[in-house]
Amino acid sequence: TIISQLTRCYKDPRAFRRRGDKPWRVQLMGESGIDAGGPARELVSEAAKDLVSPFCGLFIQVPNGRNDVGSNRDSVIPIADPRHTNALEQYKFAGVLIGICIRSGIVQDLNIAPFVWEYLASGSLTIEDIFAIDENYRVLIESLMEAIKSEIDETTFESKFNLRFVIYDSRGQEVPLTQRGRVEKVTFANCSEFISLANEFRLGEMRQNLEAMRNGLWENLDFKPPSFTTGEMLEFSACGNKEITYEAMKKIIKFESVSSDQQEYFLRVLQAMTSEQRSELLKFSTGRVRLPAQSSGEMTLHVDRANGVRDRLPTASTCFNQFHMPQYSSFDKALKMITVAIEYTGTFENR
């Protein structure tokens, strides 16, 4: 994975603290192109995409998403694939990558659960954080606690719950909490012990991973976490606005030698796009996937004329934030060619 490769490159933290939107220099193997910023930004985007991908093996969908209940269903949490041999090193680099996003302003689409951001800020993890991503677990534990308060008799308790000392982990796999967990019954008398062991296990599942991420983040930022820092602040600094609106995108566009009718076509295409398509257009043209957290005056998307080209696919120079627009005979033709280009254009090959 890209994260695995970058983790191997992470030797000296100082080399990953470059300011500006060129946090590293990318050499394209077998290509003559020179990195003047575009490939550097694109590698940040590709690394962030890789990090939260299930194929990377570092993050999984929250239980609520798997079970289709509760909130935060689209979020992911740092639970490693059991086959990983250096997961903690990669989690540390994940924190470094988040620091790079914050430092460089190359904000990313990281659908990480809210409590992860809060842990990065404060180092605090509570059982309520687990409840927020696992509704079924919350209902179970709160039902057991209510039963303890009500002081129901042993027979009623066992018939209502019929539990063993086994818990489902974040992957949905059964895990015994004691040596005889698969056969040991949960009774009214030992219910509090079951709750304690279950909560301890669920909190411990990812605490090391979270701590490694936190260490990497603040090592990259190179200062201690300020007391006023919140998870929301960190998430916004690393991810910016989730939606790319037409109005926000229009503000950063500067036309160069493009006729008024072609400008109108381009803006109409932009308006017709979804937020996801505008993100693809931004990546196609600049290597970014989201607008900087403070986009006004910080970046410009230059739309210029592709001389001698008509009704063809557009091209781009990501290093210079340039979109080269052919002459289009109609709005429909412009919409088709631009959307095809941004949808099917890949990225550089990672060897």
Side-chain angles (χ1 to χ4, degrees), residues 300-331:
T300 302
L301 173 56
H302 302 272
V303 180
D304 58 21
R305 182 178 61 186
N307 291 323
V309 182
R310 183 177 179 85
D311 288 340
R312 301 293 295 274
L313 296 173
T315 58
S317 301
T318 57
C319 290
F320 307 105
N321 297 341
Q322 289 180 318
F323 179 93
H324 308 304
M325 182 176 174
Q327 186 84 6
Y328 291 116
S329 56
S330 67
F331 161 72

Side-chain angles (χ1 to χ4, degrees), residues 81-287:
D81 188 299
R83 294 169 293 181
H84 259 298
T85 57
N86 65 334
L88 288 180
E89 292 178 25
Q90 293 189 31
Y91 281 122
K92 181 176 182 179
F93 186 80
V96 172
L97 179 62
I98 291 172
I100 289 172
C101 294
I102 294 172
R103 180 191 301 279
S104 66
I106 309 175
V107 292
Q108 298 298 319
D109 181 9
L110 296 169
N111 59 323
I112 297 172
F115 79 85
V116 177
W117 295 105
E118 196 59 46
Y119 189 94
L120 295 178
S122 66
S124 174
L125 181 66
T126 68
I127 199 61
E128 283 72 25
D129 295 325
I130 306 301
F131 290 166
I133 59 160
D134 195 339
E135 179 68 11
N136 291 345
Y137 183 70
R138 182 192 69 80
V139 171
L140 171 64
I141 297 300
E142 291 186 352
S143 297
L144 290 172
M145 294 176 67
E146 189 62 33
I148 293 174
K149 290 180 181 178
S150 65
E151 297 184 351
I152 61 177
D153 62 83
E154 195 71 64
T155 302
T156 303
F157 179 90
E158 290 190 28
S159 64
K160 181 177 181 179
F161 293 103
N162 190 28
L163 295 172
R164 300 291 188 273
F165 270 72
V166 174
I167 197 68
Y168 287 102
D169 65 14
S170 293
R171 291 183 177 277
Q173 304 295 317
E174 279 192 349
V175 177
L177 297 174
T178 65
Q179 285 187 335
R180 300 179 61 253
R182 297 190 188 280
V183 295
E184 184 180 358
K185 285 186 177 182
V186 178
T187 65
F188 183 82
N190 64 23
C191 183
S192 294
E193 181 187 2
F194 172 82
I195 293 174
S196 177
L197 290 173
N199 286 347
E200 182 181 350
F201 173 82
R202 291 301 301 273
L203 288 169
E205 270 190 295
M206 63 188 94
R207 185 176 272 118
Q208 271 191 312
N209 304 339
L210 289 168
E211 189 61 23
M213 289 179 64
R214 190 168 190 261
N215 289 338
L217 169 63
W218 295 105
E219 181 177 88
N220 181 264
L221 295 181
D222 200 25
F223 56 85
K224 293 182 179 180
S227 58
F228 58 81
T229 305
T230 65
E232 288 185 353
M233 288 173 60
L234 284 181
E235 183 179 14
F236 183 73
S237 298
C239 301
N241 289 310
K242 296 181 179 180
E243 292 291 317
I244 301 180
T245 65
Y246 166 72
E247 290 76 15
M249 193 82 167
K250 184 180 178 182
K251 287 181 180 179
I252 68 167
I253 292 171
K254 180 179 180 181
F255 291 104
E256 298 173 356
S257 302
V258 178
S259 62
S260 58
D261 62 320
Q262 297 299 305
Q263 291 185 30
E264 181 183 354
Y265 287 160
F266 183 85
L267 292 176
R268 285 178 62 189
V269 168
L270 194 64
Q271 194 166 26
M273 287 178 168
T274 63
S275 176
E276 290 75 18
Q277 288 175 316
R278 294 185 194 110
S279 175
E280 291 174 352
L281 175 62
L282 195 64
K283 185 177 180 182
F284 177 84
S285 307
T286 70

